[in-house]
Amino acid sequence: VASRLLLDAFPAGRVSLVHVRSNVRQSNMGKGVLDTAGVLSFLRVYGRFLNAIRKKEVKKVYLLLSSSVIGFLRDSVVILSSRAFGKHIIVHYRGGNFHNFCAQRGVLFRLLIRVVLSKVSVVVVQAVALKSMFKGLVDEERIRVLHNGLPNIVNGRPENISQERVCTLLFMGHVAFSKGFYDLILAFMRLRSTVQIRLLFAGEQRFIGNARKSIRAFLNGDAAKYFEEHAPHIEKTIQAFVDNADSYGARYLGVVDGEEKERAFATSDIFVLPSYTEGFSMSVLEAMAHGLPIVATRVGALPEIIKEGEHGFLVDPGDCDSIVGALGTLAMSPSTRAEMGVRNRTYIRERFRIERIAGELETILEEA
């Protein structure tokens, strides 16, 4: 989504783009799987890519970098092929997990990562704090920062919305432990015993079966240990909550887009994302643009976006008490929510306008 927005807003100026659509999978659950269908799909993409870079007018190659084993192998083929044709390469990492990805690989794969990244001219990350993911892999002078951006939200959340209705929380992301959904359940159940509150949650369910391994890949330290020791209980808790959401004063919206997503933002009062890892969350950006205060964790780019007490509240990952406290403060103060909401709308419009971000990308591509 973020890349589509950038392409649509890219200025017709110093840099012209040839876009090779590289989607191999249509579903997130199918990504990272090595099978015949995936190989054949990649070969078709690779054929289109080779046809594009053989043209003399193409000087540089820009691609999104993956942090899955299969995805990185695919990217390695593209990067090494680009170098063979004498092209400069710019990779853009939209995430906050590359250091974990490297640490969890074997010696030979880590060597491959190092070799492949040595061929890259510039690595683009989404926040200053995220530069450290590539420490020891890429010299800092080759790392650039590019935030996400949004087009202007024309309608958004009505500013005269009733203050008398039940305060509504909105969670939007993978329904999974790594996104803090388990912690949100615990906090919500505690909070609703003292405050009139309800929860809307949207996103792909990724908490059972084959998803367990992918969730673990996004965790480290105490969070990883806790998940490994309690995974069955965590999965059962999330499953029970999703299956019985109505009885808990909650509602699962499924995977939303377009008008459904707009409606979710418009009918909510607080956006919450207690994730264990993030790059630069598009959902947080969208929520702020719609005039919602934010409760999120101090991960990825979020501490660079959200100023404590002005745009919302930041908590440490896994700190359920702080989540309860932050949500409770906002739930019981409609005036604070309204003030933060107005401030957030203005802030996103002025600092994260997609045309501005696209112009910054143009400069990065030009100078690489």
Side-chain angles (χ1 to χ4, degrees):
V1 173
S3 296
R4 181 75 264 169
L5 290 172
L6 272 176
L7 285 173
D8 289 344
F10 200 81
R14 305 185 303 269
V15 177
S16 61
L17 298 179
V18 177
H19 179 208
V20 178
R21 185 172 175 83
S22 59
N23 293 60
V24 173
R25 305 284 189 181
Q26 295 303 315
S27 166
N28 276 333
M29 293 304 290
K31 293 179 180 178
V33 177
L34 181 62
D35 57 20
T36 302
V39 171
L40 291 175
S41 183
F42 170 69
L43 288 176
R44 287 192 289 271
V45 170
Y46 185 59
R48 294 197 296 271
F49 168 72
L50 287 178
N51 185 55
I53 65 168
R54 283 202 301 259
K55 298 174 182 177
K56 291 182 180 179
E57 62 267 24
V58 173
K59 305 296 183 187
K60 301 172 184 179
V61 173
Y62 163 83
L63 73 151
L64 300 183
L65 189 66
S66 173
S67 54
S68 72
V69 171
I70 300 300
F72 189 83
L73 290 173
R74 175 202 63 209
D75 295 343
S76 298
V77 172
V78 172
I79 290 168
L80 295 176
S81 298
S82 300
R83 287 298 297 154
F85 279 90
K87 313 299 182 182
H88 292 283
I89 304 146
I90 302 96
V91 297
H92 192 164
Y93 185 64
R94 293 185 176 280
N97 195 51
F98 203 84
H99 53 310
N100 279 356
F101 168 66
C102 290
Q104 293 169 11
R105 305 281 76 80
V107 174
L108 290 179
F109 203 97
R110 290 202 301 271
L111 178 60
L112 173 66
I113 292 172
R114 194 175 297 276
V115 169
V116 169
L117 291 182
S118 72
K119 309 297 181 184
V120 169
S121 301
V122 168
V123 173
V124 181
V125 297
Q126 296 179 293
V128 173
L130 295 172
K131 286 184 175 184
S132 61
M133 290 186 296
F134 292 90
K135 186 176 182 180
L137 297 171
V138 178
D139 294 336
E140 189 169 352
E141 58 266 25
R142 290 196 285 137
I143 302 177
R144 303 288 183 273
V145 174
L146 185 73
H147 293 145
N148 283 343
L150 283 178
N152 187 37
I153 303 296
V154 178
N155 296 319
R157 185 171 180 274
E159 293 193 8
N160 61 345
I161 194 165
S162 171
Q163 303 296 328
E164 303 300 320
R165 68 193 188 114
V166 175
C167 181
T168 301
L169 312 180
L170 175 63
F171 169 94
M172 199 171 284
H174 288 148
V175 181
F177 179 82
S178 54
K179 287 292 183 180
F181 192 74
Y182 174 74
D183 298 327
L184 177 58
I185 291 172
L186 301 183
F188 176 70
M189 296 300 280
R190 285 173 53 185
L191 194 59
R192 71 187 292 263
S193 66
T194 57
V195 180
Q196 268 205 317
I197 202 165
R198 71 180 187 128
L199 171 67
L200 301 179
F201 60 103
E204 186 177 333
Q205 296 183 33
R206 303 192 74 182
F207 56 87
I208 56 174
N210 293 333
R212 188 180 294 184
K213 185 177 179 181
S214 65
I215 292 169
R216 172 63 182 82
F218 285 95
L219 304 171
N220 58 25
D222 291 341
K225 182 179 179 183
Y226 182 86
F227 181 73
E228 288 172 351
E229 293 175 351
H230 300 89
H233 169 72
I234 291 167
E235 291 164 4
K236 287 179 182 178
T237 301
I238 297 176
Q239 185 74 71
F241 187 85
V242 172
D243 290 344
N244 301 283
D246 288 345
S247 65
Y248 297 120
R251 184 183 170 203
Y252 177 48
L253 304 177
V255 178
V256 296
D257 201 358
E259 290 183 6
E260 284 184 299
K261 181 188 277 191
E262 295 295 312
R263 193 179 306 114
F265 285 124
T267 56
S268 300
D269 300 289
I270 304 167
F271 187 84
V272 54
L273 187 68
S275 182
Y276 284 85
T277 179
E278 285 292 332
F280 192 121
S281 171
M282 283 294 290
S283 59
V284 165
L285 209 61
E286 290 172 310
M288 295 176 77
H290 281 84
L292 297 181
I294 308 298
V295 174
T297 38
R298 295 182 179 90
V299 294
L302 295 179
E304 291 181 29
I305 308 168
I306 300 166
K307 189 169 183 180
E308 182 84 13
E310 288 192 20
H311 306 127
F313 296 104
L314 293 169
V315 301
D316 292 328
D319 188 347
C320 196
D321 290 341
S322 293
I323 297 171
V324 171
L327 291 175
T329 297
L330 289 172
M332 291 185 287
S333 179
S335 61
T336 300
R337 298 198 305 266
E339 290 168 7
M340 286 183 174
V342 171
R343 194 178 297 125
N344 286 352
R345 277 186 174 182
T346 303
Y347 174 58
I348 298 300
R349 188 165 53 243
E350 292 177 352
R351 175 60 188 88
F352 299 101
R353 195 165 43 86
I354 190 61
E355 291 80 10
R356 174 177 177 171
I357 305 302
E360 293 176 7
L361 176 61
E362 182 187 41
T363 299
I364 290 171
L365 297 179
E366 184 184 32
E367 295 177 352

